[in-house]
Amino acid sequence: QVQLVESGGGLVQSGGSLRLSCAASGSTFTFSIKSVGWYRQAPGKQREPVAGITSLSSTKYVDSVKGRFTISRDNAKKTVYLQMHSLEPEDTAVYYCNFVGDIGTMIPLVNAWGQGTQVTVSS
């Protein structure tokens, strides 16, 4: 069974950048054929999708991060990245990744989540 572990979060000033990583254990082949999504959950709010990437590296972003965030993947390293630029205090949240069936819906394949990685943007 493939599991995903998030890392790379931290404290950054408004306008700064961070790169998050979502690393998979298990089979490289299994990872490479799956779409992956990044999600975030701010304090007091529901978890929301941020970006998704298919096995062929087609991507989709929520409107609030378009032009600022870039999702990418390295199948050899079994890792999906979320490069975040021009960060805003509103981006403060715990960021999670999960496998998805369709980046159009961003419905996670498994209703189980890792610990996530905290991103805090100070104004």
Side-chain angles (χ1 to χ4, degrees):
Q1 185 175 358
V2 179
Q3 293 185 318
L4 302 174
V5 177
E6 306 91 348
S7 64
L11 173 64
V12 64
Q13 289 187 331
S14 182
S17 300
L18 283 173
R19 188 177 79 157
L20 307 184
S21 297
C22 170
S25 62
S27 164
T28 299
F29 174 74
T30 300
F31 175 81
S32 69
I33 63 174
K34 290 184 180 292
S35 298
V36 177
W38 278 101
Y39 303 77
R40 64 186 180 187
Q41 186 168 18
K45 295 187 177 181
Q46 289 190 334
R47 188 162 17 224
E48 62 174 1
V50 175
I53 187 167
T54 70
S55 60
L56 298 179
S57 293
S58 294
T59 59
K60 182 178 179 180
Y61 300 90
V62 66
D63 285 346
S64 60
V65 308
K66 284 181 180 177
R68 301 188 298 122
F69 291 10
T70 302
I71 188 171
S72 62
R73 67 190 298 159
D74 184 334
N75 289 334
K77 294 183 178 180
K78 296 184 291 184
T79 301
V80 169
Y81 303 99
L82 187 67
Q83 179 68 56
M84 307 185 294
H85 295 297
S86 302
L87 283 162
E88 304 166 351
E90 292 74 22
D91 296 315
T92 295
V94 179
Y95 284 71
Y96 303 88
C97 60
N98 208 334
F99 291 114
V100 300
D102 177 358
I103 64 170
T105 65
M106 288 292 288
I107 297 174
L109 284 178
V110 180
N111 189 24
W113 300 89
Q115 293 190 340
T117 186
Q118 175 71 50
V119 172
T120 303
V121 184
S122 63
S123 56

